[in-house]
Amino acid sequence: MSALSSIVVGSHVWVEDPEVAWIDGNVLEVDGEEIKVNCTSGKTIIAKTSNVYPKDTEAPSGGVDDMTKLAYLHEPGVLDNFKCRYATNEIYTYTGSILIAVNPFKRLPDLYGKDVMEKYKGAVFGDLSPHPFAIADAAYRQMVNDGISQSILVSGESGAGKTESTKMLMQYLAYMGGRAAADGRSVEQKVLESNPVLEAFGNAKTVRNNNSSRFGKFVEIQFDKRGRISGAAIRTYLLERSRVCQVSDPERNYHCFYMLCNAPPEDVERYKLANPRKFHYLNQSNCYELDGLDESKEYLATRRAMDVVGISSDKQDAIFRVVAAVLHLGNIEFEKGNDPDSSEPKDDESRSHLKIVADLFMCDEKSLENSLCKRIMVTRDEKITKSLDAQAAAISRDALAKTVYSRLFDWLVDTINNSIGQDLDSNHLIGILDIYGFESFKTNRCLTVLNNFASI
């Protein structure tokens, strides 16, 4: 609320500006419900009293690390504090026990090394600069000292940096609770290596973010009585299935499709693939490459990550056969068949893709065609087969693609969980919830928020 009683001629205030959101200035006149402000930009603005906020002239020029220290916790004061800190690469700020992160859209490797983790180990919360490691350390200490399981919530709009923040939290907990494994692959290693696998199949480029998670994720890290990681489980939900078949320019489909199209030549040949521009599920957008990203290297890195989490080479082959089959499925077009309201593959090219899909799915080609071009309705007394027209067959094709991809993603998560192993007898756990990013609201002023609280 505007502090009306404190705003007089000469007061320093914030007023809304269409270009920079908020701009500061001095009050020239106060006339009832209107105030005239001489802004530092040189403009003179007449604003409603309800839209004017007092400015703290004693706030440090570099901002404060905890916004509970601000004289005014209103929107312009908060955003100005973020701006001041961001200008000096201070991308993290507290509000009490809440950590707010402003995505720098660049790598800051010096912020996340082992030496930094060692510095935050056991430090009193608030004594050091705001950091995800401080949040993770506070959760870990409370779990160990008080014997209470903890949860960390990561939320914010798409592109705010939730996925990276989640990985930093997991990295610190693995550092604190990790232990050597007899087989060379510890629980925490498998949990961390699950990230590139899930990102390959569940992340995509959106308008604001080149690596946006298109699903929600809850990571449950289990600990024994000595505070060592003893097991883990990953729960996922709300995978954006529609993206498989429909992509808006300049977004992209899921990363795995582009990786596979840029795989080594022997893999490209095995799955009968080609340039991404050749596939309907990819060429609805003109974006095929991402700056600074080598899809062929990402493909090999994903295969290595699958090795670490315990997915065998045979299962990896099956996974990518399904991915390739989905791409070929999208290239099957339909036309009117010989019978009324019936359909069939449009031409030789569509039939070629149909055969490839059948081979990759290891199913009968004619049965696959019938499943796309016909619908079977089961009544109490009989089964009725109804032919579908070309439009309905295309809808059936897309529904199959979405269902198969969604089932593949669920299977991947189950396989990773089985490989990691859960400790059903664990004493306590720390859960990290990376909720779905949003970007469809009329006004978006949200940032990544990491909130540490005891689970119920």
Side-chain angles (χ1 to χ4, degrees):
M1 296 294 291
S2 174
L4 175 60
S5 59
S6 64
I7 296 178
V8 296
V9 173
S11 295
H12 294 271
V13 296
W14 292 101
V15 293
E16 282 196 279
D17 183 86
E19 296 180 2
V20 295
W22 296 95
I23 193 168
D24 63 319
N26 296 317
V27 176
L28 295 178
E29 296 178 14
V30 178
D31 184 12
E33 294 298 314
E34 290 188 341
I35 294 179
K36 181 184 287 187
V37 179
N38 179 30
C39 300
T40 52
S41 64
K43 294 191 296 186
T44 299
I45 295 176
I46 297 177
K48 291 183 178 181
T49 303
S50 58
N51 294 333
V52 175
Y53 294 85
K55 179 183 178 182
D56 181 9
T57 56
E58 297 181 2
S61 59
V64 296
D65 59 0
D66 188 337
M67 290 193 296
T68 59
K69 299 175 183 177
L70 292 175
Y72 305 108
L73 261 177
H74 46 50
E75 183 178 310
V78 167
L79 293 179
D80 182 62
N81 191 62
F82 291 151
K83 179 181 178 181
C84 292
R85 291 178 60 77
Y86 188 83
T88 59
N89 279 336
E90 295 288 348
I91 63 172
Y92 296 115
T93 306
Y94 288 133
T95 299
S97 62
I98 297 172
L99 177 69
I100 300 175
V102 182
N103 193 339
F105 292 98
K106 63 181 179 181
R107 296 290 178 186
L108 298 173
D110 293 340
L111 271 180
Y112 308 108
K114 283 190 176 181
D115 57 327
V116 181
M117 285 190 272
E118 187 63 29
K119 185 171 67 172
Y120 280 88
K121 182 179 178 180
V124 176
F125 187 83
D127 280 2
L128 300 176
S129 300
H131 201 288
F133 293 164
I135 295 289
D137 187 77
Y140 183 80
R141 296 294 164 192
Q142 288 182 42
M143 180 196 70
V144 171
N145 296 334
D146 301 336
I148 301 174
S149 294
Q150 302 288 308
S151 292
I152 302 174
L153 169 65
V154 186
S155 67
E157 70 175 356
S158 179
K162 297 183 301 302
T163 298
E164 289 300 314
S165 295
T166 298
K167 286 191 284 189
M168 296 307 160
L169 293 164
M170 292 169 61
Q171 181 181 335
Y172 186 85
L173 293 175
Y175 174 76
M176 291 297 295
R179 59 183 174 186
D183 63 355
R185 292 199 302 246
S186 62
V187 170
E188 59 271 15
Q189 282 177 309
K190 292 179 181 179
V191 171
L192 292 173
E193 286 295 332
S194 71
N195 281 319
V197 177
L198 293 179
E199 287 183 14
F201 293 86
N203 286 27
K205 179 196 181 310
T206 61
V207 173
R208 300 187 181 189
N209 186 359
N210 283 354
N211 189 35
S212 178
S213 298
R214 308 318 302 155
F215 64 99
K217 178 172 66 176
F218 181 76
V219 181
E220 183 180 291
I221 303 177
Q222 299 147 356
F223 296 83
D224 62 20
K225 60 184 179 181
R226 294 185 298 167
R228 311 296 282 180
I229 293 175
S230 57
I234 299 171
R235 329 279 186 197
T236 61
Y237 51 92
L238 294 176
L239 178 72
E240 188 182 33
R241 301 195 327 163
S242 60
R243 182 173 294 269
V244 174
C245 303
Q246 190 173 6
V247 185
S248 301
D249 200 31
E251 299 190 353
R252 293 205 321 172
N253 211 316
Y254 290 106
H255 295 323
C256 61
F257 294 120
Y258 306 90
M259 291 179 187
L260 191 55
C261 287
N262 288 278
E266 59 271 20
D267 287 359
V268 171
E269 174 61 29
R270 180 186 304 134
Y271 304 121
K272 308 299 181 186
L273 294 171
N275 189 291
R277 292 169 175 79
K278 300 290 185 180
F279 294 101
H280 172 63
Y281 286 160
L282 305 183
N283 63 22
Q284 299 169 53
S285 166
N286 290 315
C287 181
Y288 300 97
E289 296 90 20
L290 297 178
D291 291 341
L293 187 68
D294 187 329
E295 302 284 4
S296 59
K297 290 182 179 179
E298 291 298 315
Y299 171 78
L300 296 176
T302 301
R303 297 289 294 246
R304 286 193 297 271
M306 287 179 169
D307 290 335
V308 173
V309 298
I311 301 176
S312 67
S313 58
D314 288 343
K315 288 183 178 179
Q316 290 180 34
D317 178 64
I319 289 167
F320 287 109
R321 276 196 290 106
V322 172
V323 173
V326 169
L327 283 180
H328 287 287
L329 194 59
N331 279 19
I332 302 173
E333 298 183 78
F334 301 93
E335 64 180 5
K336 188 178 183 304
N338 295 327
D339 298 328
D341 295 325
S342 67
S343 60
E344 61 184 18
K346 183 178 179 180
D347 48 30
D348 290 342
E349 183 177 351
S350 291
R351 288 198 173 277
S352 173
H353 285 290
L354 178 68
K355 184 180 186 311
I356 293 172
V357 173
D359 290 342
L360 291 170
F361 279 159
M362 298 182 178
C363 67
D364 180 70
E365 181 181 345
K366 188 60 181 177
S367 297
L368 177 61
E369 180 181 342
N370 288 338
S371 71
L372 297 175
C373 298
K374 296 178 181 179
R375 178 180 300 153
I376 297 177
M377 295 175 286
V378 180
T379 67
R380 188 171 63 178
D381 301 322
E382 61 180 333
K383 291 183 179 180
I384 301 172
T385 301
K386 181 181 182 299
S387 296
L388 302 177
D389 61 25
Q391 183 178 4
I395 294 173
S396 178
R397 172 203 66 197
D398 290 347
L400 177 61
K402 288 184 285 188
T403 300
V404 166
Y405 191 84
S406 178
R407 295 281 182 88
L408 172 64
F409 188 76
D410 291 341
W411 180 87
L412 267 172
V413 174
D414 289 341
T415 302
I416 289 171
N417 282 333
N418 290 334
S419 171
I420 293 172
Q422 296 188 54
D423 180 7
L424 300 179
D425 298 321
S426 66
N427 288 62
H428 305 294
L429 63 87
I430 295 179
I432 304 174
L433 176 62
D434 179 0
I435 70 168
Y436 210 106
F438 51 84
E439 53 187 33
S440 59
F441 296 121
K442 183 177 180 181
T443 301
N444 269 332
R445 284 172 179 163
C446 294
L447 304 161
T448 297
V449 178
L450 309 181
N451 190 7
N452 169 231
F453 60 96
S455 63
I456 299 175

